[in-house]
Amino acid sequence: MTQDELKQAVDQAAVDYIKPHLEDDSIIGVGTGSTANCFIDALAEIKHTFDGAVASSDATAERLKGHGIPVYDLNEAGTLEFYIDGADETNDHLQLIKGGGAALTREKIVAACSKQFVCIADDSKWVDILGTFPLPVEVIPMARSYVAREIVALGGDPVYRQGVVTDNGNVILDVHNLKIQSATELEERLNAIVGVVTNGLFACRPADVLLMGTSEGVKTVKAS
Ligand code: 5RP
């Protein structure tokens, strides 16, 4: 199976997973990235069965609207039934690294507001220990150098993602060479650095279920 076929299988599985729970007034959270894009395309097929969506990025909002799916402000929507999003890495606790698409902060906010976080990914994202994928950290621009020095002191190797400005007007440091033994501890530690908006560890609030595309089909994985 190609990567695109794996994505399509996973995204259809996500639609099938949420569909029985959707009602006319349901609003769902939708993530960002190529897997999430493919999910949005599949979601459009059942758009008459729910009210609308909250988007985790401007790009996702545009894609949803392009399919005629109403997009709500999170402040109007309240608690969401589901958040569906991809990941850059996942471990068996369904703790994730996210932010490859620089949307980590809004993704984390929408995930926090959702009853169930459904992660959609193929098995290339599965790792024993998080950290091979450089950990994205969203930073207030004036604090970039300070935050980078603090991250070096923690043993990381931060690289400024040149030319990228997030939807919130901030910059991204991608942190290499982290061996993430305790993901919750590191998530909290990085977020405590002044100038950090948030980091791409989704460990304090991990995914609830992973729909993982494999060559043998889509597996439903719950946290161990
Ligand atoms: C964007 C993200 C994405 O979910 C992550 O980068 C995975 O993307 P893709 O589905 O394209 O592999 O966190 O900020």
Side-chain angles (χ1 to χ4, degrees), residues 7 32-36 85-88 97-104 107 125:
K7 273 183 193 144
T32 299
S34 58
T35 316
D85 197 2
D88 298 302
I97 286 184
K98 291 184 47 54
L104 59 159
E107 291 172 342
K125 309 290 181 74

Side-chain angles (χ1 to χ4, degrees), residues 76 84 101 109 155 162 176 189 197:
E76 293 169 23
I84 299 96
I109 294 168
Q162 296 278 349
H176 296 246
R189 214 152 160 203
V197 179

Side-chain angles (χ1 to χ4, degrees), residues 97-145:
I97 286 184
K98 291 184 47 54
L104 59 159
T105 299
R106 293 191 189 186
E107 291 172 342
K108 202 175 270 194
I109 294 168
V110 185
C113 291
S114 301
K115 288 187 194 163
Q116 205 181 147
F117 179 177
V118 181
C119 184
I120 44 178
D122 65 64
D123 54 4
S124 68
K125 309 290 181 74
W126 184 268
V127 295
D128 290 332
I129 297 176
L130 297 169
T132 302
F133 189 93
L135 178 63
V137 180
E138 181 165 352
V139 177
I140 302 285
M142 72 174 289
R144 193 186 82 222
S145 297

Side-chain angles (χ1 to χ4, degrees), residues 2-186:
T2 66
Q3 209 81 3
D4 278 349
E5 286 168 338
L6 286 178
K7 273 183 193 144
Q8 279 162 12
V10 156
D11 290 319
Q12 189 54 51
V15 168
D16 295 342
Y17 185 88
I18 64 170
K19 194 177 168 186
H21 308 282
L22 295 178
E23 292 176 1
D24 289 351
D25 60 352
S26 298
I27 302 176
I28 59 172
V30 181
T32 299
S34 58
T35 316
N37 279 345
C38 189
F39 169 72
I40 295 167
D41 299 344
L43 188 66
E45 303 291 322
I46 59 157
K47 65 181 178 190
H48 53 280
T49 66
F50 63 99
D51 188 7
V54 169
S56 65
S57 65
D58 294 344
T60 288
E62 286 313 306
R63 199 175 185 98
L64 287 162
K65 286 182 202 161
H67 280 298
I69 298 171
V71 175
Y72 287 91
D73 183 307
L74 182 61
N75 294 307
E76 293 169 23
T79 301
L80 310 173
E81 210 59 42
F82 293 102
Y83 178 58
I84 299 96
D85 197 2
D88 298 302
E89 279 186 354
T90 176
N91 65 15
D92 62 354
H93 301 301
L94 306 190
Q95 296 171 322
L96 314 172
I97 286 184
K98 291 184 47 54
L104 59 159
T105 299
R106 293 191 189 186
E107 291 172 342
K108 202 175 270 194
I109 294 168
V110 185
C113 291
S114 301
K115 288 187 194 163
Q116 205 181 147
F117 179 177
V118 181
C119 184
I120 44 178
D122 65 64
D123 54 4
S124 68
K125 309 290 181 74
W126 184 268
V127 295
D128 290 332
I129 297 176
L130 297 169
T132 302
F133 189 93
L135 178 63
V137 180
E138 181 165 352
V139 177
I140 302 285
M142 72 174 289
R144 193 186 82 222
S145 297
Y146 168 72
V147 171
R149 290 194 295 276
E150 293 293 303
I151 288 173
V152 168
L154 288 177
D157 213 344
V159 176
Y160 174 35
R161 203 183 292 181
Q162 296 278 349
V164 171
V165 177
T166 71
D167 288 349
N168 312 307
N170 299 313
V171 297
I172 299 284
L173 295 174
D174 291 306
V175 186
H176 296 246
N177 301 323
L178 286 172
K179 291 213 172 23
I180 304 177
Q181 302 294 350
S182 172
T184 51
E185 203 176 296
L186 184 64

